[in-house]
Amino acid sequence: MTRVLGIDVGGSGSRVAIRLTGAEAGDEFAADGIGVTTGGSTAPARVLALLRCAAQQWPDEIREVAAIGVGTTGMGTLVPQPGELAEELTNELRRLTGRLDVGAAVAIDAVTAHLGALGGRPGAVIALGTGAIAIGGDGRERWHRVDGWGHLLGDRGAGAWIGIRGLEAAMRAYDQVDDSGTALLETAKRRFGEPLTWPSQFYTRHDRAGVLAGFAADVAQLAAAGDPSADAIMALAGQVAARSVVAALQLSPEPVIAATGGIFRAGGTLEAQFLSTVAMLRPDAKVRAPAGNPLDGALLLAHRVAAGEKQTHVPFVWVNR
């Protein structure tokens, strides 16, 4: 049986797993997420560090690993040469295993979310975490991406998107422009302190998206408690997420949709609006519960590399063997 390694990297955290072909479970561990600096994403350094951590965690099993699959946020937009990372991972895996017949694949996080949620089958998936990205296709070689442009340009419906809108409403209440965000203001002050300190807290840090996404949990809690302003934000998040995933369906031979990620698990108004908007836009679409998560998708990607089934498909997947 073939042993593979999967790595799922996001803005808020990372997960690493090692698994035998056909096994439903295996060992795994969690680690910190990545950030974005003036030099770009910290993903390449983080992924290589996680591979080395895996070798320390599983010194015997790592020698049997035939391939590594990686899904990470920003891979297609903030990492200049993803193919070079795939090559570095292959070389490091060769050093760790003492074997030449190993390989690596790195992919945008939407691909691994798709593979995990639909088990490698056709359809469209939206991943709502710190950021948001939707992707549709046949689960093999045809992909159509929507969003995933970061919290300044997109990530519609994601944690950072929700956090920003929550803080905007809080600031309007602070400025006495609109008092509907008063509950959001008080909640934000408990998390971040006085509003006068917020610009220096947010504008100067490389992990800004993750910090903003942390406030999304507060917005969701207020929405569940019946706060109208927070509820409106969660409703809009569900609507815009639905529009993204429906747009991603165009290259899929089957109208199947799944939603994954920590933000979608908030349920409530966000989920209700997501389902109703999908039904309005694509009445023929079937919304299914995810079969697995992005880490499962990274492991499936690794299995395909080990079997010689996966090739580079820019700007979605980069393979090195």
Side-chain angles (χ1 to χ4, degrees), residues 66-67 86 90 94 100-104 302 304-308 310 319-321:
T90 301
R94 285 172 178 163
L100 294 177
D101 59 334
V102 296
R304 288 182 174 177
V305 172
K310 197 67 187 175
V319 179
N320 183 271
R321 278 194 65 85

Side-chain angles (χ1 to χ4, degrees), residues 19-268:
R19 194 173 298 175
L20 286 167
T21 301
E24 295 184 357
D27 294 325
E28 66 176 78
F29 66 85
D32 292 338
I34 60 170
V36 178
T37 69
T38 54
S41 172
T42 61
R46 167 61 64 187
V47 170
L48 284 164
L50 289 172
L51 173 55
R52 291 165 188 144
C53 286
Q56 294 176 350
Q57 185 95 354
W58 306 301
D60 296 326
E61 293 88 343
I62 198 71
R63 297 188 182 94
E64 301 173 2
V65 170
I68 178 173
V70 177
T72 179
T73 182
M75 183 58 68
T77 53
L78 296 173
V79 178
Q81 298 294 334
E84 290 183 4
L85 176 58
E87 184 178 356
E88 287 184 75
L89 288 169
T90 301
N91 291 336
E92 184 66 10
L93 196 55
R94 285 172 178 163
R95 185 186 69 81
L96 293 168
T97 62
R99 297 164 47 189
L100 294 177
D101 59 334
V102 296
V106 297
I108 63 174
D109 55 349
V111 166
T112 48
H114 190 288
L115 294 174
L118 297 179
R121 294 184 58 81
V125 171
I126 185 161
L128 289 179
T130 298
I133 187 167
I135 192 165
D138 62 3
R140 291 274 178 183
E141 302 299 333
R142 300 179 66 211
W143 301 104
H144 179 66
R145 166 186 175 158
V146 176
D147 206 354
W149 308 125
H151 65 285
L152 295 179
L153 299 177
D155 284 352
R156 298 178 292 274
W161 187 96
I162 292 170
I164 289 172
R165 274 139 195 85
L167 289 171
E168 287 174 345
M171 270 303 192
R172 287 194 294 272
Y174 178 76
D175 288 336
Q176 299 181 358
V177 171
D178 180 358
D179 64 2
S180 66
T182 299
L184 285 163
L185 174 60
E186 294 307 312
T187 301
K189 286 166 70 174
R190 286 194 292 271
R191 179 180 284 268
F192 301 116
E194 287 301 313
L196 284 175
T197 70
W198 295 357
S200 62
Q201 287 190 59
F202 299 130
Y203 296 150
T204 59
R205 56 193 306 162
H206 72 275
D207 59 346
R208 179 171 57 244
V211 174
L212 291 167
F215 187 55
D218 296 333
V219 178
Q221 288 178 357
L222 281 174
D227 179 72
S229 183
D231 194 60
I233 292 170
M234 298 303 289
L236 184 58
Q239 293 168 16
V240 296
R243 290 186 177 278
S244 291
V245 78
V246 167
L249 262 181
Q250 58 184 275
L251 288 185
S252 172
E254 297 179 22
V256 176
I257 287 174
T260 186
I263 297 301
F264 193 79
R265 288 193 292 272

